Every structure is written in C-alpha cells, then in structure tokens.
Amino acid sequence: MISKGCEQCAMGGKMVLFVYGYCDQRDCFYCPLGENRKNVTDVYANERKVESDADVIEEAKRMDALGSSITGGEPQEALDKTCRYISLLKDEFGEDHHIHLYTGITGGRENMRRLAEAGLDEIRFHPPLELWGDMHGTEWEDILYIAREEGLTPAFEIPGIRAEQEFLDFLDEGAAEFCNINEFEMSDGNYRRMQEKGYELQDGHMSAVDGSKEAILDEMGDHERVYFCTSVFKDAAQHRNRLKRMARNLRRPFDEVTDDGTLVYGKTYTPAERFIELGVPDEFYSIKSNHVEVAWWLLEEMIEDGDVDDGEIVEQYPTYDGTVVERTPLA
C-alpha cells in the first residue's frame, strides 16, 4: 500500500519543510542530519533557507507543490512554529494540500489536537529502536489511537535497520494505517557513527547500507500496508521528479529541461547590443547585468558562424540556490 502522501512524494509533488533542527529526546546513531541542519532553529523549504512566510509560499509555488512534509529535528519540540506553518500552507493552498509530519516522540493528546486543528493530515511516528518489540501497553500504542481520535491518520515511518513483527501487529489491530520502511542509509551526517557500529555500504551503492533489506522484505514485505522505500527510488524518483516538476514550472522559453530535471542554457559575455543587431528574437535570450543567457543550441550556431566569439553551455539545478552542475566552454 502507498499512502496519499507517498503518492505525491513519488510524483515529486511534496515540498520538504524543515522546521527545527534540535531533537532533545535522544541522539540516534543513524540520524542523517548534516551539520548545517543539526541543532539549528533555522527553517528550510526544500533547499531554501526561509526568511519569511512568503518564502515558504513562494517555494511551494515554484514546484507547484501538491502537498508538504514537515520534518526536523523534532517538529513537536517547536509546536507553535510547526502549527503556524501547517495553517499557513492550508490557508494558502486549501484542504487538498496534503501535509504529513515526521516525529520521534509521542507528544500526547494536546499536541495531536493542536496539530489536527492546524490542518495536519497524517502523522508518522518513529519510535526509538530500543523499544521495538515492546511498544504494546505503552504510550506508543496509546498515541496511535489518540491521534486517530483527534482526526489524524497515524502511521509508522522507520529506518530499515531490522524486521520487527510488532509493527505488523499494530497494522492488523487497526492502530496504525500503514508502515513505511526506509532503506537503511549512510550519509555525511551519520557516516562515522554508522561505521563505528559496524555498518558498511552495499557494493556499488552511494548510501544504502549492506545487509538489512532482504531480511526485512522476507519478514514484512508481503503485508499490504507495508511500503519499503529504497534509496534508489528516493533519488531516481522522488528527488528527480521534484526537480523536473520545478524545472518545468520555472523554465524560460529557451531553457532545455533534461531527464534529470536540470536546466540547460547558453551564457556569453558578448554585449546585448550584438543580439539586437543580429535580430535574435526576444524569446531566445535574456539580458542579465553583465552577460546574456540564450538558447544553448543558438549560441553554438552563433559561435560557429562567427557572430559571437565565445560562451559556455550551463547546466544547473532549478532549485533556489541554482547550483551549477556543469559548464561546457564554447569557442
């Protein structure tokens, strides 16, 4: 089974809203947060550092977002801010803008009530690893029913460290709606700690950890409400589709959108007057403060014909920071 939030994520339609970098409850050795996100109060909408509410709305519009995912750190530890952003998104985009939240604490009924009143649709719990198998009869069982009573869809989202029957039991008992299992991964933020615990990368993989996937799929993968999200899928589908969505939304008439979701165009420091002299149609170029951006194929032709001396083909991400992937000189 795949939830509505996951469907939107697979389509590249979920904006990731990072609201708070602290997590005071525990220090998980597998926490993937990098140094720029850990123990900060900054807010990020996708890659964009948020300076105002308008930034959040603009970033969602840049990618034509279908919904948003709220993450951290621990969003429930900054509940006022978390609820404000949920309400902001719902007020701007309406009830169909699906919002889910990741949390590593139970929070209690008051938190569930406030999140539901703000407009949250779905809450995904990540219980501490040391409690897996012993959650029945604890606050972790109670919170699933409380969340549902308050109008939220309760679910689990856990790292694929090992198989655990108790998560299937919660699904069969009707306590949780679904369980997402993310392939266990190493990142810049957790690599050293993971190695100290004896974990290694799979051969030929950039992030997937060796050894856990097969056992989990064998023991849990047949359940209709369990979804195993691979690291390859997250990169090849979720992330790439979000880039494509953004690129299609932002592209100028002369930009080319690649299969990877990047934008390709030409760049030259030739004076803009030269383009006017040559009668280049306006839709094929854009004048910047100290250069001209132009259809890459047209710039190639102009250089071959001797109309322009030099330039380059630029490939960049359509993200707010506009990271350049590659520059190819033309002369």
Side-chain angles (χ1 to χ4, degrees):
M1 172 191 176
I2 185 168
S3 69
K4 181 177 180 179
C6 290
E7 285 180 358
Q8 292 182 349
C9 192
M11 295 165 61
K14 279 273 182 172
M15 179 177 73
V16 180
L17 187 62
F18 177 95
V19 295
Y20 189 66
Y22 286 90
C23 181
D24 296 335
Q25 301 302 308
R26 60 187 194 265
D27 184 21
C28 301
F29 72 88
Y30 49 82
C31 178
L33 286 186
E35 292 305 314
N36 66 324
R37 297 286 178 99
K38 202 163 193 173
N39 297 334
V40 299
T41 57
D42 298 325
V43 175
Y44 289 86
N46 294 331
E47 296 79 13
R48 178 179 190 161
K49 187 175 180 180
V50 171
E51 305 293 347
S52 68
D53 288 354
D55 291 344
V56 176
I57 300 303
E58 183 182 340
E59 185 65 20
K61 289 180 176 179
R62 279 171 61 89
M63 62 173 289
D64 193 20
L66 301 172
S68 298
S69 61
I70 310 292
T71 187
E74 179 46 69
Q76 288 201 73
E77 289 177 5
L79 194 63
D80 288 346
K81 181 164 65 170
T82 296
C83 289
R84 188 172 65 78
Y85 281 122
I86 293 170
S87 296
L88 174 73
L89 290 164
K90 287 290 189 177
D91 289 345
E92 178 68 27
F93 298 110
E95 287 304 309
D96 287 341
H97 187 89
H98 185 275
I99 302 177
H100 69 266
L101 178 145
Y102 301 102
T103 183
I105 61 177
T106 55
R109 184 176 294 276
E110 179 63 15
N111 282 17
M112 298 303 104
R113 182 189 62 78
R114 290 184 59 190
L115 289 166
E117 288 179 351
L120 185 67
D121 297 292
E122 178 182 288
I123 186 162
R124 302 182 182 183
F125 293 102
H126 167 205
L129 176 61
E130 60 269 19
L131 294 183
W132 292 14
D134 296 306
M135 292 178 286
H136 278 83
T138 73
E139 63 180 343
W140 287 98
E141 180 180 20
D142 294 341
I143 199 62
L144 298 171
Y145 293 102
I146 289 170
R148 198 181 291 276
E149 289 168 5
E150 295 298 331
L152 302 174
T153 298
F156 290 112
E157 178 124 359
I158 58 173
I161 301 174
R162 61 173 173 82
E164 176 49 61
Q165 175 64 37
E166 189 172 29
F167 291 113
L168 304 185
D169 295 339
F170 279 126
L171 297 178
D172 294 338
E173 292 157 8
E177 193 69 22
F178 61 88
C179 179
N180 284 350
I181 306 173
N182 293 308
E183 186 166 15
F184 207 24
E185 292 183 289
M186 298 174 83
S187 68
D188 290 341
N190 69 16
Y191 192 86
R192 179 184 56 79
R193 299 191 302 274
M194 294 276 282
Q195 280 200 316
E196 289 173 354
K197 293 285 186 178
Y199 293 99
E200 298 291 343
L201 289 173
Q202 291 181 32
D203 288 341
H205 284 260
M206 296 291 291
S207 60
V209 171
D210 190 36
S212 61
K213 178 179 177 181
E214 290 74 17
I216 293 171
L217 290 176
D218 285 344
E219 296 184 40
M220 301 179 70
D222 289 338
H223 198 288
E224 63 180 0
R225 287 189 283 151
V226 170
Y227 181 70
F228 189 90
C229 188
T230 67
S231 59
V232 171
F233 180 79
K234 277 187 280 191
D235 178 60
Q238 294 177 4
H239 182 64
R240 187 176 298 179
N241 285 344
R242 177 165 66 84
L243 293 177
K244 286 182 179 179
R245 198 178 181 87
M246 197 174 286
R248 288 193 297 265
N249 207 35
L250 298 175
R251 70 179 298 273
R252 298 165 295 186
F254 58 82
D255 287 326
E256 180 178 308
V257 178
T258 71
D259 289 340
D260 290 326
T262 55
L263 296 170
V264 179
Y265 59 89
K267 178 179 177 180
T268 178
Y269 290 94
T270 299
E273 290 77 17
R274 182 61 176 151
F275 286 78
I276 297 171
E277 291 171 6
L278 293 168
V280 178
D282 291 346
E283 63 267 26
F284 288 129
Y285 70 100
S286 177
I287 301 171
K288 302 299 180 180
S289 59
N290 67 343
H291 66 276
V292 175
E293 294 177 358
V294 57
W296 68 266
W297 54 268
L298 179 58
L299 181 59
E300 257 189 355
E301 289 181 4
M302 294 173 75
I303 291 174
E304 288 175 2
D305 294 343
D307 294 324
V308 171
D309 291 334
D310 55 26
E312 62 182 359
I313 297 175
V314 178
E315 180 180 0
Q316 73 175 60
Y317 285 119
T319 51
Y320 182 73
D321 54 12
T323 301
V324 172
V325 178
E326 187 174 6
R327 298 180 187 273
T328 305
L330 299 173

